Amino acid sequence: NFRSLQPWIPGVVVLCLGLAGLLAFGDALAGDRVFAARDAVHTFPGLVGLIRQEWSAGRVPLWNPWLNNGQPLAAMNVAGALYPPQVLAALALPTGAASTTLVVGHLLLAAAAATRIALDAGRSSAAAAVAGLAYAFSGSVVFQAYHPNIAAGVAWLAWAVCFGIRLGHRWSPGAFLGLAASLACAVLAGDPQAAYLAGITLVVWRIGAGVSAGAAGATTILAAGRLGAAAVLAAALAWPQIALTSEFMATTTRYADAYPVSIWDVPRCLRDPDAAVRNHWADVILGRPPPESSFYHQIYRFSVAPWRVLDLVNPTLAGPLDDRWTSARGLEGDVWVATLYSGVVPLAACLLALGHLRREAAVRRWSLVIAAAFAASLGGLGAVGIARRIAEYAATGGVTDLYRPGDEVGGIAWLLTSFVPGYAGFRSPGKWLACFALGLAQLAAAGIDVSTTSPGRGTLRRWLWAVGGASIVVTLAAGCMAPSTALPGVVSGCVLCLSAAVLAALLLDTRLVPSWLRGREAAALAVVTAVELAVAARATVESAPLAAVRGGSGYLETLEPLRDPRLASASAHPRLAAIDGLIEIPQSANATARARAVGVAQRCNTPLLHGWGKVGEPGTAMEADFELLCSPISTPNGPVFPRQTLDRSAVEFFVIPASGVPGVPLDELLHEWSGPQRAGVDRSIVPAGAALPNAAPPGEPLVRVIRNVSARPRVRITRDLLAVPPFPEAPRKRRVAALRPLAFPDPTGGAPAATVVESADAAAVAAIAEAQEAVTGADEAARITIDEPRRVVIDVELAAPACVVLADTFHADWTATVRVPAGGERRVEILRADHTLRGCLLPAGRQTIEFRHRSATFARAIPVAILAWAGVIVAALTCRQGRQPRLVEPSTRTNSAGLVRPA
């Protein structure tokens, strides 16, 4: 009988997963802690705190007022603002613990999914446990603890594959609803790419099934129809997230490039007024991107170097993520994960299963998934890149660099980006490693069951010795190339690998094991795998108290008394600009010290933890026009940051490296504007006045904090206006040329010094300008009285008509109404002030202007999702589900060590 007829979560599975989880993450779950690297420490705590604040106040978190003068929040899908588990965790747990607990829960959910896939295939409980461990605790998956949204994505990816395989075999209401819900949860959790990867993996798996089993075309069409219908339902379930993100991304750097990234962009490109764009529509797709095609250069970041497959025999082969000797030697580019290690036992079992490639269809399917996933993870190394390396090596005996634009052409990642609809919006080919790990885990389960036979046991033992020997050889080779400081880490990985290989091999030797263990070798191997992968995870994943981040950035509280009273009276919430990309975080073995340094440097969303806004935080989910106005330009003296934009955005403090940056003077952040510059006589773009005051806490070695005395209030009254028509949408070059002087005034004097308002009534602007001299010295005021993420109320008193500028992001979802003391309310138009801010033309008198945020897109989309989820829940409760049939297909050849035991 199939041993998988036992309960689907047998005791051995619970024991192994619980043991691995406790050993790997036990300390991370104690207290209000965060995983101490990457997004988990500097991006998500601030977002989670804001999401909790909004849901607790009874508001949907649609707007983030703290970042870049305000930008959409739920539309920035990585936040997971509409993902139910994220919402519940944020409401029930402290900020740090919310993300940490959710990450660990998702990794265990990923293990359950891989286990379920193996059980569906007829594997034994112990083999299924090994599959779950090899997937969820592999280096390429467990490392996503540093990316909470992707940790959720890898879990739902595995469940989508699980349900998709079931649905591909036959119609099942439960599998249909499960697949749709899994895909929708991946999108809502903030990793829509996981849904894409799951779909492509199912296609590859189906191709393998069709090739191996000779599936009829009609059967394949029916399976595709079922999967497609589930995808449509998933889109309905996640429609608010999809609609909001699509709307937001259309204005970000992901889609604002004039040049096409895929063939689906070509029609838009051919309609571009710029002939240079039209005539070179194929350049980007063929690997010849111009410099202004900015997002294209992000797509192939975090590609995997081919040699990384050696990680499978040593988890610390290249050293820790932040101090990799392979990067120093130019052997890899930006690193996505620290290691691909999936354990010695799973690797040996996988190799054993590959020996039966011709005997079982499932082995061929998962082998194809592994090959396709690893090839896709190479990203920037396509057919052109391989040919270039061969030619360079033949000519010079070496390779000059790792990747060049154009190397990606002919690769799987390039094919997906260029030809699959919507895929061009994603980046990081390294994400394919999750599919690689899932395929390896399923082959490992197959190999474990083969090892329960007498010949299979001996073969697995030989493979374990071979993997151990390979670990020694690879470690010796690395030792010859790595610096001496990296050797202890490299050797420790080899010791772990060898220890597990020797122990597992001894457990398979019936002459050495006690009688009570005989027949239970597979369960013992699962326990060895759990301990081994937990130890490897402990070396990869570290946590620190969130209090360390808060403490590092606690100096913000000391800056509050230093604020200009004029600015503090206008807005209670200050803003800063942290040039955090130039502030080096010191390498330290102490995770708490690193977390504190992140707080000191004000990385990413760290200021949000203290209620401070941050301007100039870059990212691919940033309004393209605002990013243009916040980006430095190159000059003979080095890059120059846009001081004008920072002043207009009410930035009161600059956080810059204390030790300076070679080749980057940062004079534009160290001085105030001179008298001639203020008078408009000197139009240079770098302030030439007195040095700005240093407000940094004494003795802080990482940063200097500069108080910006030129900052303009967040809400201000102005009559110095320049009315212009809307800036051109296209061509892109013309738009950039028109916007650039707002950030960097033309030194020849051609740039306006006044506040630029678009689409304003010329007569009203002229009347306001005429009243400027008449009200000089009059008592006027504008003060924010209510400051909520989706509602801002300003009390205004004007002696004459004027323009009231709120230095918050202009966005179509905001409306403004004006109330006067005598009663009555009227709607006023919000104008673009300096293109990215909000301006309203108001008459004289005392009045209150109220800005409100309402997303029409969300209002249209949420009923669709509510109806879809209600239908899914009702269907799940009412449809009768019998026992899930096993998805075991007979092997194509009988054999004594068969991978599948017939019932």
Side-chain angles (χ1 to χ4, degrees):
N1 295 322
F2 282 101
R3 284 177 289 176
S4 60
L5 291 179
Q6 300 173 19
W8 84 274
I9 307 182
V12 64
V13 175
V14 175
L15 172 65
C16 292
L17 296 185
L19 179 63
L22 183 64
L23 291 176
F25 303 115
D27 59 341
L29 296 173
D32 190 17
R33 300 176 70 86
V34 294
F35 290 110
R38 290 199 171 185
D39 294 357
V41 69
H42 55 54
T43 297
F44 281 89
L47 293 179
V48 171
L50 181 56
I51 290 169
R52 175 199 289 113
Q53 170 189 313
E54 288 298 274
W55 282 114
S56 299
R59 297 185 295 260
V60 181
L62 297 177
W63 190 259
N64 181 353
W66 309 110
L67 202 59
N68 298 324
N69 295 337
Q71 66 181 46
L73 174 57
M76 191 172 67
N77 58 349
V78 297
L82 305 179
Y83 180 48
Q86 167 92 317
V87 175
L88 292 175
L91 292 174
L93 297 171
T95 298
S99 291
T100 304
T101 303
L102 211 58
V103 163
V104 176
H106 280 125
L107 292 178
L108 295 178
L109 188 65
T115 302
R116 181 71 262 176
I117 294 173
L119 290 172
D120 282 351
R123 311 301 177 199
S124 66
S125 299
V130 170
L133 291 164
Y135 177 60
F137 289 88
S138 66
S140 52
V141 172
V142 77
F143 192 79
Q144 304 314 328
Y146 294 142
H147 309 95
N149 63 312
I150 301 175
V154 297
W156 293 117
L157 181 154
W159 277 111
V161 170
C162 175
F163 290 121
I165 292 173
R166 293 181 183 179
L167 197 60
H169 274 79
R170 59 183 62 85
W171 166 255
S172 167
F176 178 80
L177 297 176
L179 175 58
S182 298
L183 295 174
C185 285
V187 175
L188 292 171
D191 190 15
Q193 190 170 358
Y196 258 84
L197 298 187
I200 297 171
T201 299
L202 287 171
V203 170
V204 174
W205 192 91
R206 187 69 192 180
I207 291 173
V211 170
S212 61
T219 303
T220 301
I221 293 174
L222 286 175
R226 293 192 292 266
L227 296 176
V232 172
L233 177 57
L237 294 171
W239 190 242
Q241 186 67 70
I242 294 172
L244 289 171
T245 301
S246 299
E247 179 185 55
F248 179 40
M249 290 301 170
T251 63
T252 68
T253 53
R254 289 187 182 233
Y255 293 106
D257 288 343
Y259 291 86
V261 176
S262 74
I263 61 170
W264 307 98
D265 298 331
V266 171
R268 171 183 58 82
C269 170
L270 295 177
R271 295 192 300 268
D272 197 291
D274 191 340
V277 174
R278 294 196 308 272
N279 295 337
H280 300 278
W281 61 269
D283 282 357
V284 177
I285 298 174
L286 296 179
R288 300 191 297 264
E292 57 266 30
S293 185
S294 57
F295 181 67
Y296 184 84
H297 298 278
Q298 296 286 332
I299 292 177
Y300 299 101
R301 284 190 66 195
F302 302 110
S303 295
V304 177
W307 65 263
R308 291 294 303 275
V309 73
L310 298 178
D311 285 347
L312 293 174
V313 295
N314 186 326
T316 59
L317 182 66
L321 184 74
D322 295 328
D323 189 22
R324 296 174 69 85
W325 64 267
T326 49
S327 297
R329 292 189 176 274
L331 296 177
E332 58 184 347
D334 293 321
V335 181
W336 179 246
V337 295
T339 178
L340 276 62
Y341 194 68
S342 293
V344 170
V345 172
L347 177 59
C350 175
L351 296 172
L352 172 59
L354 288 174
H356 295 76
L357 191 66
R358 299 177 58 187
R359 298 175 180 175
E360 187 181 347
V363 174
R364 290 191 291 277
R365 295 194 197 99
W366 288 114
S367 299
L368 185 61
V369 169
I370 287 175
F374 190 75
S377 73
L378 298 179
L381 184 62
V384 171
I386 294 174
R388 178 177 72 83
R389 281 163 179 72
I390 293 174
E392 281 193 1
Y393 190 82
T396 65
V399 178
T400 56
D401 54 11
L402 196 63
Y403 295 120
R404 292 182 195 165
D407 282 359
E408 68 282 352
V409 175
I412 291 182
W414 172 81
L415 290 171
L416 294 172
T417 299
S418 301
F419 300 104
V420 175
Y423 194 86
F426 302 126
R427 59 174 184 162
S428 305
K431 288 186 178 181
W432 272 101
L433 293 175
C435 302
F436 173 84
L438 183 61
L440 189 149
Q442 298 309 310
L443 289 186
I448 290 293
D449 274 350
V450 173
S451 72
T452 59
T453 65
S454 180
R457 187 184 301 113
T459 305
L460 180 60
R461 192 164 60 245
R462 287 191 293 273
W463 273 120
L464 286 167
W465 291 120
V467 171
S471 180
I472 294 175
V473 172
V474 168
T475 302
L476 289 174
C480 295
M481 300 176 64
S484 58
T485 54
L487 290 181
V490 176
V491 172
S492 67
C494 182
V495 170
L496 174 64
C497 182
L498 281 176
S499 301
V502 170
L503 178 58
L506 294 177
L507 290 173
L508 291 171
D509 192 332
T510 56
R511 298 168 298 178
L512 300 177
V513 299
S515 58
W516 60 267
L517 189 58
R518 293 171 187 170
R520 300 181 177 87
E521 293 90 344
L525 292 178
V527 174
V528 170
T529 301
V531 175
E532 175 200 5
L533 288 176
V535 173
R538 292 280 295 191
T540 302
V541 179
E542 298 177 316
S543 66
L546 181 61
V549 184
R550 291 184 181 273
S553 54
Y555 64 83
L556 295 182
E557 298 175 1
T558 67
L559 301 180
E560 292 277 359
L562 302 179
R563 296 184 63 195
D564 186 330
R566 176 178 57 97
L567 306 183
S569 64
S571 174
H573 298 287
R575 291 174 177 168
L576 59 80
I579 316 300
D580 56 359
L582 300 180
I583 302 173
E584 293 290 337
I585 301 297
Q587 295 179 5
S588 170
N590 189 312
T592 300
R594 293 199 307 270
R596 181 190 178 278
V598 166
V600 171
Q602 301 297 328
R603 284 284 166 93
C604 294
N605 295 325
T606 301
L608 278 61
L609 294 171
H610 299 268
W612 279 55
K614 184 176 180 182
V615 175
E617 174 57 36
T620 56
M622 181 180 181
E623 291 279 357
D625 288 345
F626 190 71
E627 183 172 25
L628 172 68
L629 296 177
C630 283
S631 299
I633 61 173
S634 298
T635 69
N637 295 325
V640 173
F641 288 86
R643 177 65 177 277
Q644 291 277 9
T645 299
L646 302 179
D647 290 350
R648 285 195 297 262
S649 297
V651 172
E652 299 183 46
F653 296 93
F654 306 133
V655 180
I656 63 175
S659 58
V661 182
V664 183
L666 293 179
D667 287 342
E668 66 276 21
L669 304 179
L670 297 173
H671 297 269
E672 62 178 306
W673 300 101
S674 67
Q677 287 176 320
R678 293 180 183 278
V681 177
D682 180 357
R683 302 302 297 272
S684 58
I685 62 175
V686 177
L692 293 172
N694 190 343
E700 178 52 63
L702 288 184
V703 300
R704 296 174 63 188
V705 181
I706 307 299
R707 186 161 67 86
N708 181 20
V709 300
S710 302
R712 306 185 68 183
R714 181 179 162 203
V715 57
R716 50 190 181 262
I717 301 168
T718 181
R719 295 182 176 86
D720 187 9
L721 304 176
L722 176 64
V724 300
F727 284 100
E729 293 290 337
R732 177 71 175 167
K733 290 182 179 179
R734 183 180 171 195
R735 184 177 183 81
V736 170
L739 288 176
R740 181 68 74 180
L742 291 177
F744 298 99
D746 186 349
T748 64
T755 298
V756 175
V757 289
E758 300 173 45
S759 305
D761 180 81
V765 170
I768 289 174
E770 292 176 0
Q772 184 168 1
E773 294 185 2
V775 299
T776 301
D779 189 13
E780 297 186 311
R783 183 173 62 91
I784 297 175
T785 57
I786 298 177
D787 192 5
E788 298 173 351
R790 299 179 60 191
R791 180 175 176 236
V792 179
V793 179
I794 306 171
D795 283 346
V796 181
E797 186 167 352
L798 300 176
C803 178
V804 174
V805 175
L806 177 64
D808 289 3
T809 300
F810 177 92
H811 195 277
D813 287 344
W814 284 89
T815 59
T817 56
V818 172
R819 296 190 302 272
V820 296
E825 183 176 289
R826 63 185 178 88
R827 192 83 164 261
V828 295
E829 181 184 7
I830 301 178
L831 302 174
R832 284 185 176 272
D834 292 325
H835 190 66
T836 61
L837 310 179
R838 304 176 207 163
C840 292
L841 304 183
L842 300 180
R846 180 176 298 176
Q847 51 208 301
T848 298
I849 181 169
E850 179 174 351
F851 293 91
R852 279 190 175 273
H853 177 274
R854 181 185 180 277
S855 172
T857 300
F858 180 77
R860 290 192 299 266
I862 193 63
V864 176
I866 291 175
L867 290 175
W869 279 108
V872 166
I873 293 172
V874 170
L877 293 176
T878 56
C879 71
R880 293 185 177 181
Q881 288 292 314
R883 176 176 291 174
Q884 176 63 33
R886 296 181 302 279
L887 306 180
V888 179
E889 297 183 43
S891 55
T892 58
R893 181 189 300 178
T894 58
N895 60 91
S896 59
L899 292 171
V900 176
R901 294 172 176 79

